[in-house]
Amino acid sequence: MSSIYTVNDETLVNIARVLGGEDGIRIIGILSERKNITVEEMAEITEIQINDVRKLLYRFYNHSLVTNRRFRDKETGWFIFQWSLQPALVEAYVTSTKQKILRKLESRIEYEIAHEFYHCHNPECPNTTFEVAMETVFHCPKCNEMLHRVDNTPVIEFLEKKIAEIKEELDT
Ligand SMILES: [Zn+2]
């Protein structure tokens, strides 16, 4: 889809998928090409049921991804709602998602740096912390095999790289 907004298409599609699945992607796709479109028009173009279109729009609305304006139809006297993407808020959503990921990665890297890990080489068993390994006298709590020190340097390096990437994205 070719977007008229600054948020890149891939990000938009991902958000649409998370919030609304394949139908959500189609709705966001139309909204990225047209402004001020009604539920009825969207239902006609996508062949998604009007009620489902409306449900998706309100889900997007609750996440501040879309906006609407309403006016009164001169002939019928009814309110007509027109919907548009809210590009600034889509970017805000992306930023806050990245910040959440950053906080998770930072607490994970703190945990990795602060702990020593042990493993029994059995692929079905999880890593064990030093504290637990002490209690079991360096035997796996699950299979009872000997525990060996796990070098988590690659994990820490990977996390450092990811954190640097996200920080750079948030700075720009
Ligand atoms: Zn084990």
Side-chain angles (χ1 to χ4, degrees):
M1 81 200 187
S2 63
S3 174
I4 52 176
Y5 297 110
T6 53
V7 174
N8 72 51
D9 293 348
E10 196 192 331
T11 307
L12 260 184
V13 169
N14 284 337
I15 296 169
R17 183 181 289 116
V18 168
L19 293 176
E22 291 305 311
D23 286 351
I25 292 173
R26 285 158 76 195
I27 296 291
I28 291 287
I30 288 165
L31 286 167
S32 75
E33 286 162 2
R34 286 180 58 179
K35 279 184 178 179
N36 300 324
I37 179 169
T38 64
V39 169
E40 290 75 15
E41 288 169 320
M42 277 185 257
E44 204 183 311
I45 296 167
T46 58
E47 294 180 331
I48 300 169
Q49 296 286 316
I50 285 181
N51 280 343
D52 292 335
V53 172
R54 196 170 280 126
K55 253 185 246 165
L56 286 166
L57 284 171
Y58 278 98
R59 193 174 300 157
F60 293 141
Y61 186 76
N62 284 336
H63 288 82
S64 304
L65 298 181
V66 297
T67 178
N68 62 48
R69 57 174 205 176
R70 59 168 206 182
F71 53 88
R72 211 179 272 279
D73 187 301
K74 278 170 196 143
E75 282 168 29
T76 65
W78 291 14
F79 279 117
I80 296 175
F81 284 80
Q82 289 184 327
W83 297 82
S84 298
L85 265 191
Q86 179 85 282
L89 291 172
V90 172
E91 285 179 61
Y93 180 90
V94 172
T95 301
S96 82
T97 305
K98 280 183 184 163
Q99 281 164 342
K100 260 182 232 159
I101 293 169
L102 182 62
R103 280 198 293 274
K104 266 190 201 156
L105 290 174
E106 280 174 339
S107 72
R108 177 71 196 276
I109 201 168
E110 269 173 41
Y111 182 78
E112 290 287 338
I113 290 169
H115 291 85
E116 281 180 15
F117 295 95
Y118 292 82
H119 194 250
C120 58
H121 296 170
N122 182 349
E124 279 157 34
C125 296
N127 275 350
T128 303
T129 60
F130 177 75
E131 291 75 10
V132 173
M134 282 283 284
E135 281 170 26
T136 61
V137 201
F138 294 90
H139 286 80
C140 176
K142 201 175 163 200
C143 72
N144 212 32
E145 290 293 317
M146 272 299 286
L147 288 169
H148 307 273
R149 176 85 190 268
V150 176
D151 177 16
N152 66 344
T153 313
V155 177
I156 292 169
E157 282 171 358
F158 174 80
L159 290 168
E160 278 173 346
K161 201 174 131 230
K162 277 281 153 205
I163 287 169
E165 275 171 18
I166 292 180
K167 278 187 173 164
E168 208 182 299
E169 285 170 19
L170 286 169
D171 270 349
T172 50

